[in-house]
Amino acid sequence: MRISTSAVTLACSDGAQVLSEALKTNSTLTTLDLRSTSVGDNGALGLSEALKTNSTLTTLDLSRNSIGPDGAQALSEGLKTNSTLTTWDLSNNSTGPDGAQALSEALKINSTLTTLDLSYNKIGDNGAQALSEALKTNSTLTTLDLWSNSVSYNQARVLSNAIYKNSTVQ
């Protein structure tokens, strides 16, 4: 089963909170597309709680949702215990370096996520460094998109070395 924003219109973060309650007990939905629905940090908090218990969702698109560091922190808590999500799009948000740090902590624990898109999130060198550390232990991530994140050449080399040593990331 797949739900897209073309089928469901959310009213900002309140809609995400309501949807999160349904996701906690849903046993059929595998793909949820919430791109450009103004989820924000409050909506991310609700979705995080749903990720902790949902056992069917494999693809989640939260691109273009004004999710900042606090929202990324909340979502990372959900990712730590989620065992079904394989593809996650967080592109075009504002997670910044603190959000990338939180997500890297989740990546050290999570063993199912294979694709993560963090493009256009202003993670900078500190966020890239944190993700480099996560790649040292994560063995399931195969695709990591960090396009347009203001990462310096030197930090890109550090990240490149981590990817080189991790044989699963492309």
Side-chain angles (χ1 to χ4, degrees), residues 150-164:
S150 302
V151 177
S152 71
Y153 175 77
N154 286 337
Q155 191 56 51
R157 287 184 56 169
V158 170
L159 190 57
S160 176
N161 284 338
I163 291 169
Y164 178 75

Side-chain angles (χ1 to χ4, degrees), residues 11 19-20 32 67 74 107 151 153 164:
L19 185 58
S20 296
L32 182 59
I67 296 171
L107 288 173
V151 177
Y153 175 77
Y164 178 75

Side-chain angles (χ1 to χ4, degrees), residues 46-120:
L47 289 170
S48 171
E49 292 303 313
L51 285 175
K52 291 176 183 177
T53 58
N54 181 280
S55 61
T56 59
L57 198 63
T58 60
T59 303
L60 179 59
D61 188 341
L62 293 175
S63 60
R64 294 182 228 115
N65 268 296
S66 302
I67 296 171
D70 292 340
Q73 173 67 47
L75 289 167
S76 71
E77 292 302 317
L79 186 61
K80 285 179 182 177
T81 58
N82 182 278
S83 62
T84 57
L85 195 65
T86 59
T87 303
W88 194 9
D89 188 343
L90 274 172
S91 64
N92 291 283
N93 281 290
S94 301
T95 61
D98 291 341
Q101 173 65 46
L103 290 167
S104 73
E105 293 303 317
L107 288 173
K108 291 176 183 176
I109 298 168
N110 181 277
S111 62
T112 56
L113 193 68
T114 60
T115 301
L116 177 60
D117 188 344
L118 287 175
S119 58
Y120 297 94

